[in-house]
Amino acid sequence: VVRFDENYNPDKPVALAAPFKFDPLINKGTFKDMLAKTGIPYSESYQFDPATSKGETFVFHQLYDSLPMFEVQLKLYEKGGVISSYSQGYVEVQSEDTQKEQNVISPYIALRTLVENHLEAGTVITGVRLGYHGQVYNSQSLYMVPSWRVTLGNGQIYFIHAINGAVEAPQNKK
């Protein structure tokens, strides 16, 4: 269970005091260094996600135990070739499931279920990533579970529960 910090509003862009140039192909190895110089709070807690970054928006996910929390994002907005603003969500872990440790299903099993039961022939899978996923409601708290995120060539994203294998169909994003 995580709780969103009310001081960070992921829906409200904030102007950067010192805009900068950013190229994910060139800066790939230095994201942490580059973000640290921006003055963005907790920037060291995020990891770049090329699968959900589109056009002039670069998406980073907050990490927990080195795995991304897919619904907790830092977005950098590019305008005229420079990053001039950002929006940020930040959470603090409230509680962990302290029950016995469970193994996650392999990505092969997750993909097999998805391919056999949900995808049409010829669908292109562009990425598979283990992380934490939860449904965002009108609440400050969020229950997250280990999930495989599968990205498709058409932009759709499926989440597969990494313990029980349940498949969550893509949501229509605004």
Side-chain angles (χ1 to χ4, degrees):
V1 177
V2 298
R3 182 165 181 77
F4 281 93
D5 187 324
E6 294 177 10
N7 296 317
Y8 303 96
N9 184 346
D11 298 323
K12 183 180 176 205
V14 176
L16 282 169
F20 62 95
K21 282 192 171 288
F22 175 66
D23 183 346
L25 297 175
I26 294 171
N27 296 69
K28 190 168 181 136
T30 59
F31 284 139
K32 297 233 187 260
D33 296 335
M34 183 239 2
L35 280 178
K37 295 175 185 173
T38 64
I40 297 172
Y42 304 109
S43 61
E44 72 284 353
S45 302
Y46 295 85
Q47 182 180 65
F48 180 61
D49 183 10
T52 55
S53 296
K54 302 281 186 251
E56 297 177 334
T57 302
F58 299 98
V59 178
F60 296 73
H61 297 291
Q62 186 177 340
L63 298 177
Y64 177 70
D65 278 348
S66 75
L67 292 174
M69 294 184 281
F70 296 118
E71 284 72 34
V72 186
Q73 300 178 339
L74 165 64
K75 294 180 180 177
L76 302 179
Y77 301 106
E78 181 181 47
K79 192 171 193 176
V82 295
I83 303 297
S84 57
S85 61
Y86 71 96
S87 62
Q88 180 180 20
Y90 182 77
V91 296
E92 293 182 12
V93 176
Q94 298 295 302
S95 65
E96 298 180 47
D97 189 351
T98 54
Q99 298 176 4
K100 66 180 173 100
E101 191 173 301
Q102 294 182 327
N103 292 326
V104 298
I105 61 174
S106 75
Y108 303 108
I109 293 172
L111 282 174
R112 187 173 125 203
T113 301
L114 181 65
V115 169
E116 288 178 355
N117 300 314
H118 299 276
L119 301 182
E120 296 178 14
T123 300
V124 176
I125 295 172
T126 57
V128 179
R129 177 81 166 105
L130 182 62
Y132 293 98
H133 169 65
Q135 291 293 332
V136 177
Y137 298 104
N138 291 335
S139 169
Q140 287 299 105
S141 295
L142 177 63
Y143 180 73
M144 302 186 95
V145 296
S147 299
W148 290 102
R149 181 189 72 183
V150 179
T151 54
L152 304 181
N154 63 6
Q156 289 185 319
I157 298 175
Y158 282 85
F159 287 99
I160 303 166
H161 194 291
I163 307 280
N164 66 21
V167 176
E168 182 181 314
Q171 304 294 310
N172 290 333
K173 298 236 175 190
K174 28 179 174 163

